[in-house]
Amino acid sequence: MNEPLLIERSKAGRSSYQFPQLDLPRGFDVALPELPPTLRRSKEPRLPEVSELDVIRHFTRLSTMSFGVDSGCYPLGSCTMKYNPKVNEQLASLEDFTAMHPLQDVSTIQGCLSVMYNLLEDLSGITGMAWGTLQPCAGAHGEYTGLKIIRAWFEHHGDARRTRILVPESAHGTNPASAAVNGFTVTTIPADAEGLVDIDALQGLLDDTVAGVMLTNPNTLGLFEKHILAISEMVHAAGGLLYYDGANLNAIMGMCTPGDMGFDVVHLNLHKTFGTPHGGGGPGAGPVLVSRDLVPYLPKPDIKLVDSGYAFDWSSELSIGKVSGFWGNFLVLVRAYSYILRMGAEGIRAAAAHAVLNANYLLSRLKGTFSVPYGERCMHEFVVSLEDLKEKTGVSALDVAKALLDSGYHPPTMYFPLIVHEALMFEPTESESPETLDELADTLIELAGIAASDPQRLKQAPLTTPVRRVDEVAAAKNPILHA
Amino acid sequence: MYSYIPHTDEDRRRMLEAIGVSSLDELYDDVSPEVLLSESIPIAKSKSEDEVIRQVSAMAARNVRGVPFLGCGSYDHIVPATVQAIASLPAFVTAYTPYQAEISQGLLEAIFEFQTIVCELTGLDVANASLYDGATAAQEAAALMVADKRRSSEILVSPTIHPFTLQVLETWAKGTGRKIVLLPEKDGVCDLSRLAEMLQPQVAGVIVQSPNRYGFLEDYTGVADTVHAASSLFAISCDPLSLGMQKTPGEWGADIAIGDTQPLGIPCSFGGPSCGYMAVRQALMRKIPGRIVGQTVDLDGDRAFVLTLQAREQHIKRERATSNICSNQALAALMTTVHVSTLGWAGLKEASRQSYIKAHYLAYHLAQLPGVRLVWDAPFWCEFPLVFDDAKKMRKFIQELRNEGIFAGVRLSSLTRRERDDLMLIVAVTEKRTREELELYLAAARRVLK
């Protein structure tokens, strides 16, 4: 199946979108001078010229060749593909939100500011932090912002030697990348035999050049860093700050808080934990929450509640400044706020518990079939290794993932974290029923059987998708990046 | 029992038994009691869907809408109905980044079309799948420049770029050894006459913007040659709809085009989501940040699309990465793709031209009034600065127009927080403003300024 590019359906003169007739006094547009020739565009772009129906059919077909949470089970580890409630979409599309210009007078945007202020209060409560910013547009953007805050803190305290950030070897790639983008050097902390941060190794790395330690808790193996209080004490005793990557907050929200664990800076992914849709890769939102000492360093402007209502506050002298064009991905914030209102304190806690229940249940169903390198139990996600299977049958994690496509599932995360070979990382989230998990487990167990009996069949997969296995090497070797 | 959680009591019992624990709490055994919360987190109790709709709708209703003559980076343009219809399709809305190409061909093809549109509009060779917004696109351009030219740490930036873009660049540079150096300004545009001498070896690149913060179009004749002679890179930020009329970054000889596609199909949305874009010359293909979709073939040799050139990205490069972006603004990029596909070049040109004409109509008539003046005489597109003789009059003007349901413009000093901008109102006019709205604006203006 193949859907031609819209430009390939183009026919000169077919575009028919109609703008209102220009109705200025007669002759005004004629009398108006053209742009000076030096400033005028000379080359016409090649854009589709198609009918409105062509547009609708084209993109509707494209949507049928896409797969979302609404299409089927999406146990993509570390991405928290939970259900995106429809009421959130309804509220985010209210014209009283979508039509708001970001630079309207403050008296006319009290609704927007109240959503933002209340959301910040709730997120502070959920994380156990003092206050935060909603400006970052994605998780990685939150990391960038959080590390800027750490840098500003040490600069203000005259501690310019602290130029290193420590990250565990199981960390998401964004952690070291965000540190590097901020001009920090990165040192990797090895994992211990259990898959947790190696405490002795960490102690050996901590000195007066370390600005911060970035952790995900639970970590990317789905294990809770149970020595977190000891780690926090060690990092703080060495003068460093502790950074919480909120990618896995869904496992623990309502149960415990990063604040109580001793974290100084937290970023969240509203598009993971708080049910806002991923949109095919964005927009997300990556709020950053900090402890009391770090509040003055948050990006500008802050949002305050004053006598006259909500207001932007640009006054902090210590602020790192602005990190995005306006105030953040506001409509994403509306969705997350609506989600939190719906769930409430008990629902937030229940979501975490059921995410952990689902992951452990799926793990219990799979551990007889696939090897589980770390932990008998897990938090909201777990990692299996297909190294043995590959050795015996030649069937790789990739092959199994591609075979899952034929059964109507989005595969788990593949080949991550890097410390597990032939890794498949499952995160079912709280949204899935046990029946769905059973079907998924049955399918995986069946695929493992086929791997032994007819490995070639899995190497051919997928067979029922719009295209068959895609040649990534050719794509990178001879890049064709536009029509 | 809980919203969005399908489990029954029987499910929980059966699952806990299969796992071999007796309660949900036991699943948290690894969390030490010192860390476990003893009481509920401080947020409100769960509410029904209807209650939430009422509560959030009431909050939205506290916003006040008006006829916006506001711009400065966010614009109220006409958006065809096709955009929301397509951007609401669940498979687009609820998909993750298209890692699994075989079940993501639709999304990948749509992104490929977005990249094509950005290349065509800007006149450059390679575009990525989007960045957060226009301001962070400038930051990514600066980062690309610094990474491209080793041992260089300085970016020359036009003083007429959007004040918030400048602030984002300053945040990026602060404390990292990188430096933002402002070029001089003359008569409302960037003064590039001293560019050659300012292009010292430590300069990695030059970033300018047109239409600029005042709305003026800038003339970059000869700039690319000067910048390239100093082995630096040249980036131009522009409103993509202005490219329906004005010379493209490609035609100016720029290496990088950046900006925000919000004016193409994305509602103002209180500033976000919008959609940053970046396009570069072929030579910089492997340096551009973010996701890129490429065309390839599948096993049968049929055309297929896939995320490509991933060796550039953070998940491969980790601490050697020059950008950390992964999530971008895909759904907003889809809105732009549908918008431009619906309008075609004819429609895009029309929206651009009507914005230009209507803005000039309003400017021309405002210029006749006492107490205000247009400053500088650089050509502008859909936005212009109106300067008042005194602050009191300006406040009265803004208030009076608001009473008529009109948002008159953006006070530049609210963005720059500089006294010298206090008397300057930036007025934006799009093709969406009707004759009636323009006359209402003028009538109110005449009343205040008589």
Side-chain angles (χ1 to χ4, degrees), chain B residues 38 68 93 346 390 411:
Chain B
S38 51
V93 175
D390 71 86
R411 281 169 43 243

Side-chain angles (χ1 to χ4, degrees), chain B residues 318-387:
Chain B
R318 298 177 75 88
E319 66 271 15
R320 291 177 299 112
T322 51
S323 168
N324 67 345
I325 189 166
C326 34
S327 283
N328 50 38
Q329 303 283 113
L331 197 65
L334 177 70
M335 295 171 92
T336 289
T337 308
V338 177
H339 181 85
V340 174
S341 301
T342 306
L343 263 55
W345 174 233
L348 205 126
K349 231 175 9 182
E350 180 68 10
S352 193
R353 192 181 72 94
Q354 283 205 20
S355 300
Y356 173 76
I357 294 171
K358 288 178 175 176
H360 282 75
Y361 179 79
L362 189 67
Y364 173 82
H365 288 287
L366 285 173
Q368 317 297 322
L369 302 177
V372 293
R373 61 190 196 282
L374 301 179
V375 281
W376 305 310
D377 56 358
F380 67 89
W381 172 54
C382 81
E383 199 167 16
F384 58 89
L386 186 68
V387 176

Side-chain angles (χ1 to χ4, degrees), chain B residues 233-364:
Chain B
L233 294 172
F234 180 33
I236 304 177
S237 170
C238 33
D239 180 327
L241 187 58
S242 75
L243 298 174
M245 293 184 76
Q246 75 155 331
K247 191 176 270 193
T248 66
E251 288 171 331
W252 285 121
D255 304 286
I256 304 170
I258 44 177
D260 199 310
T261 73
Q262 183 277 327
L264 300 177
I266 306 170
C268 289
S269 314
F270 199 50
S274 64
C275 177
Y277 73 84
M278 181 186 283
V280 299
R281 294 208 167 283
Q282 192 69 32
L284 295 172
M285 176 179 73
R286 289 176 199 276
K287 305 266 170 79
I288 191 171
R291 312 281 193 211
I292 300 180
V293 171
Q295 182 184 311
T296 182
V297 291
D298 73 354
L299 264 181
D300 293 336
D302 289 333
R303 176 164 72 181
F305 299 94
V306 69
L307 290 174
T308 192
L309 302 179
Q310 299 199 54
R312 300 164 298 115
E313 290 187 61
Q314 46 76 29
H315 61 287
I316 309 282
K317 276 211 155 166
R318 298 177 75 88
E319 66 271 15
R320 291 177 299 112
T322 51
S323 168
N324 67 345
I325 189 166
C326 34
S327 283
N328 50 38
Q329 303 283 113
L331 197 65
L334 177 70
M335 295 171 92
T336 289
T337 308
V338 177
H339 181 85
V340 174
S341 301
T342 306
L343 263 55
W345 174 233
L348 205 126
K349 231 175 9 182
E350 180 68 10
S352 193
R353 192 181 72 94
Q354 283 205 20
S355 300
Y356 173 76
I357 294 171
K358 288 178 175 176
H360 282 75
Y361 179 79
L362 189 67
Y364 173 82

